[in-house]
Amino acid sequence: MSYDPENIFAKILRGEIPSTRVYEDDETLAFMDIMPRSDGHLLVIPKTPCRNVLDASPEQLASVMKTVQKLSQAVMKAFEADGVTIQQFNEAAGGQEVFHLHFHVLPRYEGVSMRPPGNMGDFEVIAAQADKIKAALG
Ligand code: 5GP
């Protein structure tokens, strides 16, 4: 399977469609998921192309995981979360829907189940959560 440069996250990286960004460095970008399955649900992607874990380089994986850890620590602080679930899917059969490598960072709260997938979040609520994450990152 080859990388499709017209996938939605490639368009977000190029600024062709809007996103609520919370962090970026030379190699990675973190932005809010528009269909959050928990309060503060965000995605971390490499800035360079690859479909998923199956074709990513060790360098892409290393830089993305570094940002996943940074954002996991930030959401714990921002939302006084009780834990963090990290999810990552590979190819359609593995549950992947957008074919640019991404890790889900889902803050978790004691006794609160993850919401079902596919429900659009409220833009203003997501924007306020993004501000909290940015503040926690300092
Ligand atoms: P996956 O490929 O890991 O199964 O799911 C893709 C994720 O991307 C879903 O959680 C979905 O809500 C999110 N997503 C899909 N389209 C967009 C978009 O245009 N913007 C943002 N921020 N997230 C998206």
Side-chain angles (χ1 to χ4, degrees):
M1 294 292 232
S2 59
Y3 180 82
D4 174 10
E6 295 309 315
N7 77 74
I8 211 142
F9 294 168
K11 290 181 180 180
I12 283 176
L13 275 168
R14 293 195 295 266
E16 292 169 8
I17 63 166
S19 64
T20 307
R21 298 178 176 220
V22 288
Y23 173 81
E24 69 182 296
D25 57 26
D26 288 347
E27 284 91 35
T28 64
L29 172 68
F31 56 98
M32 303 305 286
D33 197 300
I34 45 165
M35 294 179 246
R37 300 195 59 196
S38 73
D39 290 347
H41 180 178
L42 63 90
L43 302 166
V44 178
I45 67 174
K47 286 187 171 176
T48 48
C50 61
R51 284 175 70 85
N52 52 45
V53 157
L54 301 171
D55 64 338
S57 69
E59 292 76 21
Q60 286 172 314
L61 290 175
S63 61
V64 166
M65 284 315 294
K66 213 169 137 186
T67 300
V68 165
Q69 183 188 41
K70 192 180 184 73
L71 272 295
S72 298
Q73 291 165 342
V75 296
M76 286 293 288
K77 187 173 161 196
F79 304 111
E80 295 178 348
D82 300 305
V84 177
T85 297
I86 292 163
Q87 282 187 330
Q88 193 277 322
F89 304 105
N90 300 281
E91 299 302 333
Q96 187 174 13
E97 290 179 353
V98 179
F99 298 97
H100 180 109
L101 174 66
H102 56 279
F103 283 77
H104 298 255
V105 174
L106 295 134
R108 299 300 301 278
Y109 310 93
E110 211 61 68
V112 180
S113 301
M114 283 203 309
R115 295 189 283 270
N119 295 313
M120 220 45 173
D122 179 294
F123 174 78
E124 285 185 13
V125 171
I126 290 174
Q129 290 167 349
D131 286 343
K132 279 192 175 182
I133 297 169
K134 284 188 264 186
L137 284 165

